[in-house]
Structure formats: structure tokens, C-alpha cells
Amino acid sequence: MKVPFLNFHYQHSNIKPEIQQAFLSVYDSYWYILGHHLSDFEKEFADYSQVKYAVGISNGLDALFLSLKILGVGAGDEVIVPSNTYIATALAVSHLGATPVFVEPDSNTYNLDPTKIEAALTPRTKAIMSVHLYGQACQMNEIMDIAQRHNLYVVEDNAQSHGAEYDGRMLGSWGHINATSFYPGKNFGALGDAGAVTTNHEEWAQAIRSYRNYGSKEKYKNEVLGYNMRLDELQAAILSVKLKHLDNWTQYRKDIAMLYLDKLQGVGDLILPFTHPLASHVYHLFVIRTPQRDTLQKHLEENGVGTLIHYPIPPHLQEAYSFMGHQKGDFPIAEELAMSSLSLPLWPGMQQEEVDYVVNHIKAFYA
Ligand SMILES: *Cc1c(COP(=O)(O)O)cnc(C)c1O
């Protein structure tokens, strides 16, 4: 048996006729950019996210970038970013000329630790970015309280957490303006690059619609120095189809995660995912931890089990961020996570025998 890290077969074979229909609907419309497939999807995704407005964007990084831009983040500003995120979160800040200020995660949930945020604030801090890493919601009550006390904005990075909630309320609806990615491998993925912004703020939604389309609301009238950051009709139509199946797929992910949690309890020195009592977890990734991570990964690979590391190098130690002058040891929790984390195979449609195969090879490693 071979168990890949990710397999789209179950998801994509089941919806193939619907996707073909969506494709033909766009194809035959002869209208490929900024049409009704996009505006329909935006309404559906806004409803799903329990917000008034969703704006389709070219990808997750651009959605983060435009969210921060609309809040006025720019040169000289600081933005709180978790030290253990995917680099896109920090890049969105840097591309606006602002500085990402890294704050360590809680070592149980791996999400931004609210008790450490205030020590990192300065008069230049403009916003807090809460990344719901691996699919688990951040402690949004605490984060929103801190933001309110210090007059800061909150931008959720919802790229890994479609459909998750905190304290009964959907992610993507907590922050002032929020961004997500529909990269194919995310829980809710397009068949190419795609992303969105969600907000309840009408003016910001309109401004983002303008910025994504060359700074133009009316054709050939440009009000601001805009970008080309549009989501195309084809991806929007495909996302509309997939959105109807997302809750089923999320339940599938949760069921697989429960199997892993049950079967891996007490195995070797493994640290299993912990979910905060008010958070829901949609298991974009099922991340285990062990000091023997590299040898365990090699053992699994030799036995046909695909795993990945999310993420092997934290942003502050990336060459791209060397200009900031951070050193090894500056963010020890993020650095420890980078050395010990291993993501196991998990996808909607994964079979119990495949879970057992992974679990048995992990047990064999420790035997
Ligand atoms: C994937 C991801 C992004 C970037 O999304 P793209 O669509 O690839 O640009 C941003 N933040 C996080 C946490 C992600 O996982």
C-alpha cells in the first residue's frame, strides 16, 4: 500500500459532472472576467462566512495585501504577525513597506498567544493578523479585546480554516477585514490560484473591488493606482460548485482526525494536536510533533507514507527576511515547532485502512 500526503480523487471524481457544467456555463457565456459567476460566488461566500461582503481576489497573498492596504497600513507601520506562520502573512505586510512584528504562538494550539501580544505593541502598531493555523481558530475573543483596547485593526488570515468557528461564530467574520486563499490544496480550493476578502464594511469592500481592477469602478476611469488582482469567472464558477460540498468534506476531515487522535494516543513521544475549548478545528493539516521528526519522516517515506513539514523554516529565519536582523533563538517556540512538526496524510475520502496503515507504521517506528 502507498498513502500519499494528499489525494483529490474522492473530491474531484464525485463532482466532475457539476464542474463540467460550470466550466461550460462560463465557456458559453463568452464573458470571462468580472461577470455574474464571480458576483454569484461572492454572494454565496459572504453568506457562508456570515459577513455582508466577499470580494474575489487573485490569490491569498493579494487578498492579505489589499486588506492591509485598505486599512492604511504603509511605511513606518508595524503589524503583529505570528512567528510560526506561512511566509505569505508576513510578505503582505512587507510589500506595503510596513514591518511584521513577530509574536510567539501558544505552544499547545500553535496559534498566536494573546498573552504575548501586548508586550509587542508600540505606538506604530496598526493591526494584528490572526492566522488560524492548520485549521484551528485563534482565540478571537481575546484578540478582539486587545485590538479594541489599543485601537488596532484585526485582519484574519483564514487561508487554512474555511468553515471553522470560534465561540460559535464563523472565521472570516471576526476581524475588521479578512483574507483567505483558495489555493488548490486548501480545504476549499479552486483549480488554480484564487482568494477572497471578507468584511462587513461596505466602503472597504467597494474600495477593494476598485483596487483589484486597476483602481477602476467605471471602465476606463481610474480613481486610484490599482492592481490587477481579480478572480476570474472560471475559478469563481468552480468555487460555487465546491462550496456546496465543503461542509461534507470538512466533516470527513474531522472524522479522519478523530481516528488519528484515538489511534495515536500514547504512542511513543508523540505530541498530538490540541484544540482550544472555544475553537473548532477543520484539520487543514494534522500535525504531530516529536524530537525524532526527521527519522520518523524517513521511516514513513520508506514505507510509502507521504508526509510534509509545515513549516521547516520560520519567516524570521528565512533569507528573504535576513535584512531584519533576526537571530536563531529570537523566537524559540516557532523554531522548536519547525524542528519537531510533521503533517500526516489527511484528505476527504481517505479510507480507514489508509489511516491504519499510517498509524501502524508510526507504531512500528516506536516499537
Ligand atoms: C496558503 C496561505 C496563504 C497564501 O495563499 P496563496 O493563495 O497561495 O497566495 C496565506 N496564508 C496562509 C496561512 C496560507 O496557508
Side-chain angles (χ1 to χ4, degrees):
M1 191 189 271
K2 263 195 165 34
V3 181
F5 179 70
L6 179 63
N7 182 342
F8 282 116
H9 180 74
Y10 169 85
Q11 282 175 287
H12 285 185
S13 62
N14 278 322
I15 60 169
K16 199 166 172 178
E18 287 176 88
I19 294 285
Q20 282 169 328
Q21 215 174 0
F23 171 83
L24 287 176
S25 166
V26 175
Y27 194 78
D28 292 335
S29 74
Y30 302 158
W31 191 273
Y32 306 114
I33 296 284
L34 295 181
H36 77 87
H37 294 93
L38 177 62
S39 53
D40 290 349
F41 170 66
E42 289 176 336
K43 282 189 205 95
E44 293 154 14
F45 191 65
D47 285 347
Y48 184 83
S49 306
Q50 300 174 353
V51 292
K52 288 192 188 140
Y53 310 101
V55 184
I57 302 293
S58 37
N59 57 60
L61 173 59
D62 290 348
L64 288 165
F65 170 86
L66 288 179
S67 299
L68 292 169
K69 182 167 179 74
I70 234 62
L71 298 176
V73 170
D77 293 331
E78 294 177 356
V79 176
I80 302 294
V81 171
S83 55
N84 62 324
T85 184
Y86 180 57
I87 196 164
T89 321
L91 286 179
V93 177
S94 301
H95 288 323
L96 286 159
T99 302
V101 174
F102 298 112
V103 168
E104 288 268 70
D106 177 297
S107 51
N108 295 311
T109 64
Y110 314 142
N111 275 332
L112 200 54
D113 185 342
T115 67
K116 295 187 189 127
I117 293 174
E118 281 178 301
L121 302 179
T122 76
R124 295 171 166 192
T125 313
K126 210 60 192 253
I128 303 170
M129 297 180 85
S130 56
V131 183
H132 310 295
L133 202 68
Y134 307 151
Q136 173 170 197
C138 292
Q139 289 167 256
M140 291 312 297
N141 286 326
E142 285 89 337
I143 292 171
M144 295 311 292
D145 280 351
I146 293 166
Q148 191 167 16
R149 268 205 306 281
H150 297 274
N151 210 8
L152 304 171
Y153 291 119
V154 172
V155 176
E156 289 173 72
D157 179 340
N158 201 23
Q160 303 193 357
S161 52
H162 308 109
E165 298 171 334
Y166 187 79
D167 204 1
R169 188 171 144 198
M170 283 303 262
L171 301 187
S173 74
W174 281 86
H176 297 88
I177 184 161
N178 311 299
T180 191
S181 163
F182 308 124
Y183 178 83
K186 309 291 190 193
N187 286 23
F188 179 36
L191 301 183
D193 277 312
V197 165
T198 55
T199 184
N200 284 312
H201 202 294
E202 186 181 0
E203 266 171 59
W204 292 341
Q206 280 179 359
I208 290 209
R209 283 180 208 286
S210 169
Y211 269 114
R212 75 172 171 187
N213 185 35
Y214 291 106
S216 170
K217 281 184 197 133
E218 220 180 293
K219 210 168 170 70
Y220 304 127
K221 262 187 86 181
N222 305 85
E223 302 157 346
V224 288
L225 298 178
Y227 304 87
N228 180 351
M229 294 184 173
R230 300 174 301 227
L231 176 61
D232 65 73
E233 286 284 285
L234 203 47
Q235 296 303 340
I238 284 159
L239 285 165
S240 282
V241 171
K242 291 184 100 179
L243 185 58
K244 289 184 274 174
H245 300 274
L246 178 58
D247 287 342
N248 279 337
W249 293 337
T250 300
Q251 190 54 49
Y252 216 130
R253 285 178 181 276
K254 289 182 181 174
D255 291 345
I256 301 287
M258 290 311 125
L259 286 177
Y260 271 138
L261 283 171
D262 181 44
K263 291 167 191 272
L264 290 174
Q265 197 67 52
V267 173
D269 56 7
L270 291 183
I271 299 172
L272 301 179
F274 166 83
T275 307
H276 185 278
L278 289 181
S280 74
H281 199 322
V282 293
Y283 294 98
H284 172 56
L285 297 169
F286 190 92
V287 177
I288 60 173
R289 283 170 59 212
T290 164
Q292 307 175 67
R293 191 268 311 277
D294 292 340
T295 43
L296 174 60
Q297 182 177 40
K298 193 157 167 279
H299 168 84
L300 291 174
E301 191 188 323
E302 283 163 4
N303 287 285
V305 176
T307 60
L308 289 175
I309 296 169
H310 299 90
Y311 295 94
I313 306 171
H316 72 278
L317 296 179
Q318 293 284 356
E319 193 183 340
Y321 275 115
S322 57
F323 70 92
M324 287 186 76
H326 288 302
Q327 304 289 321
K328 220 172 172 161
D330 283 358
F331 300 99
I333 300 178
E335 291 167 27
E336 203 281 328
L337 292 175
M339 288 194 315
S340 63
S341 298
L342 188 67
S343 306
L344 298 183
L346 191 159
W347 67 85
M350 189 177 182
Q351 299 299 298
Q352 180 145 1
E353 304 81 75
E354 292 171 313
V355 175
D356 286 337
Y357 185 84
V358 176
V359 167
N360 290 339
H361 280 290
I362 293 173
K363 285 183 175 166
F365 173 79
Y366 284 107

